[in-house]
Amino acid sequence: MTSADHDSAASLDQARGTLDGAGASALTRRPWQGPDQPPSDLDLVRFATWAARDPAATDPSVVAAGLGLLSSARAELDQLEAGLLFAARGSGMTWQGIASALGLGSAQAAQQRLDRVLARSHRVVRDR
């Protein structure tokens, strides 16, 4: 790992710790989480948004921590989307059926969506 990688990982860990300290550590486990698995960054961003619902009582460090995890949460969502698209194809859905489920106008648009999601995922992996 490069120094930049270490700095990025430390920044993510600090943001996660800030949110855990603000109450995210008490979040209910999702059925798909293992017993020792921490909340996802997507769940932590949701927690930060929820915690910021009252501007008068909002701790700016909680909001900053949520903002710091947005890129990681976005990458998690891209992975979930790619997984669902592959699962859809594996279950026998047509590209047109997938397009319809996504609210897209054509089978080609659904295929292009998968291509974009995979390209973003590969870019994130390369940039790390």
Side-chain angles (χ1 to χ4, degrees), residues 30-78:
R30 306 289 191 180
W32 51 84
Q33 283 181 289
D36 296 326
Q37 187 177 355
S40 70
D41 287 345
L42 185 56
D43 282 337
L44 291 174
V45 168
R46 286 181 180 179
F47 173 82
T49 304
W50 175 81
R53 70 194 180 283
D54 179 4
T58 298
D59 180 348
S61 69
V62 170
V63 176
L67 291 170
L69 291 176
L70 278 174
S71 291
S72 179
R74 189 170 288 118
E76 286 178 6
L77 191 55
D78 282 344

Side-chain angles (χ1 to χ4, degrees):
M1 277 176 102
T2 66
S3 177
D5 290 336
H6 283 283
D7 292 345
S8 177
S11 178
L12 290 171
D13 284 344
Q14 182 177 9
R16 292 175 186 126
T18 296
L19 293 171
D20 280 347
S25 60
L27 288 173
T28 303
R29 295 246 177 256
R30 306 289 191 180
W32 51 84
Q33 283 181 289
D36 296 326
Q37 187 177 355
S40 70
D41 287 345
L42 185 56
D43 282 337
L44 291 174
V45 168
R46 286 181 180 179
F47 173 82
T49 304
W50 175 81
R53 70 194 180 283
D54 179 4
T58 298
D59 180 348
S61 69
V62 170
V63 176
L67 291 170
L69 291 176
L70 278 174
S71 291
S72 179
R74 189 170 288 118
E76 286 178 6
L77 191 55
D78 282 344
Q79 292 168 357
L80 291 170
E81 184 173 356
L84 276 174
L85 290 169
F86 283 121
R89 289 295 292 154
S91 73
M93 287 181 73
T94 64
W95 282 112
Q96 187 57 51
I98 293 169
S100 179
L102 290 172
L104 301 174
S106 69
Q108 181 181 5
Q111 290 172 316
Q112 290 171 342
R113 173 93 164 245
L114 176 60
D115 290 342
R116 282 191 305 274
V117 168
L118 292 175
R120 282 194 308 260
S121 294
H122 285 86
R123 193 169 44 249
V124 168
V125 169
R126 271 198 322 270
D127 291 347
R128 287 186 175 173

